[in-house]
Amino acid sequence: TQTFADSSKVNPAPVERMIGTTYTSPGPVGQAVFFDGETSFMAYSDTLKDKLVDLTTFTFSVWIYADKFPAESADKNRYFFTTQSWSVGDMHLQFVWGEFPGSCQVCISGNSKAPTGGMFEEKNFSHYRTPQLETSKWTLFTIVYDTNTNTIKYYADGNLVDSAVYTESVPVQIAGISLGNHYEIGKYPGFEGYLDDLRIYNRMLSDVEIMALAQMGNATVVP
């Protein structure tokens, strides 16, 4: 099934859409959304209105609870968030299992090399892989990206866990986003678990602000 919503409440065009059946459940901050591997939410450029284009600083934060890490597949990726193109500067976050179960990748296009802090190169993309998450446990997952210092930082539950430095700056260009699944629906398996209080900022949050987000949530809630 598909339901359509327009955040502007003016134009009824499907600039946002939810694909599949969705359920809500108590989360750390509010009502979390359950993704069953087939569910996906998409927001297009008509909704985002270029608010995430040409960014030099960027923060992505979400409470995440994975039901399980599925059996390894040929793709090895289970997507809980992606952007909707591979243009230079586009950023992708991927929920991964298999060889690196429960880790997340940040993929940035543009030959941006970063040899430190868990980075690796593949073709024309550079990937940053976070430390592994745990199943059946709420984690506040926060990524901060800054082209002024060529730095990406990963926070778990408000605490800085890891960072890496790129050797060149690539601005963030995000025209559309997909939650719970890859934007190419059906091509890859989707995420199985819960997401709550997802936030995207066009600036860097400070360590104090990120800890405040963690303290807002009750990580002991059982979905």
Side-chain angles (χ1 to χ4, degrees):
T1 61
Q2 296 189 44
T3 58
F4 298 91
D6 182 356
S7 60
S8 70
K9 303 297 187 295
V10 176
N11 183 354
V15 295
E16 299 175 3
R17 63 174 179 173
M18 182 73 78
I19 300 173
T21 303
T22 57
Y23 302 92
T24 59
S25 174
V29 177
Q31 289 294 301
V33 177
F34 174 68
F35 293 83
D36 63 4
E38 302 293 333
T39 312
S40 179
F41 171 79
M42 291 183 166
Y44 298 95
S45 57
D46 289 350
T47 300
L48 300 180
K49 300 184 186 303
D50 295 332
K51 292 180 180 178
L52 301 177
V53 173
D54 295 327
L55 301 184
T56 58
T57 56
F58 170 87
T59 301
F60 174 91
S61 185
V62 64
W63 285 95
I64 183 169
Y65 183 107
D67 271 349
K68 60 182 179 179
F69 301 134
E72 185 173 341
S73 71
D75 179 65
K76 296 185 179 180
N77 294 327
R78 186 160 290 253
Y79 299 85
F80 79 92
F81 175 88
T82 66
T83 54
Q84 292 172 353
S85 77
W86 281 104
S87 300
V88 171
D90 274 10
M91 180 178 292
H92 290 245
L93 303 184
Q94 306 177 154
F95 203 56
V96 186
W97 77 94
E99 192 175 1
F100 298 92
S103 66
C104 297
Q105 291 181 12
V106 181
C107 310
I108 300 177
S109 174
N111 291 312
S112 180
K113 300 177 182 178
T116 63
M119 301 295 303
F120 68 94
E121 299 171 51
E122 180 180 331
K123 298 182 180 179
N124 293 328
F125 306 103
S126 59
H127 298 60
Y128 167 68
R129 179 175 280 125
T130 70
Q132 295 179 13
L133 299 174
E134 298 178 39
T135 57
S136 303
K137 177 182 179 296
W138 284 108
T139 300
L140 180 64
F141 174 93
T142 307
I143 288 286
V144 175
Y145 178 63
D146 178 21
T147 63
N148 299 299
T149 59
N150 301 350
T151 302
I152 190 166
K153 296 180 179 179
Y154 165 63
Y155 296 77
D157 299 324
N159 298 300
L160 178 63
V161 176
D162 195 20
S163 64
V165 179
Y166 291 84
T167 55
E168 68 179 80
S169 296
V170 179
V172 176
Q173 308 285 357
I174 297 178
I177 62 174
S178 176
L179 303 178
N181 214 319
H182 195 276
Y183 67 92
E184 296 179 283
I185 299 297
K187 186 174 182 179
Y188 303 101
F191 170 67
E192 293 183 65
Y194 302 83
L195 300 178
D196 188 20
D197 197 42
L198 185 144
R199 297 166 180 248
I200 301 175
Y201 295 84
N202 61 358
R203 64 179 180 88
M204 292 176 57
L205 264 62
S206 67
D207 289 359
V208 172
E209 290 176 307
I210 293 172
M211 180 56 70
L213 288 181
Q215 292 174 343
M216 280 175 51
N218 178 7
T220 64
V221 171
V222 178

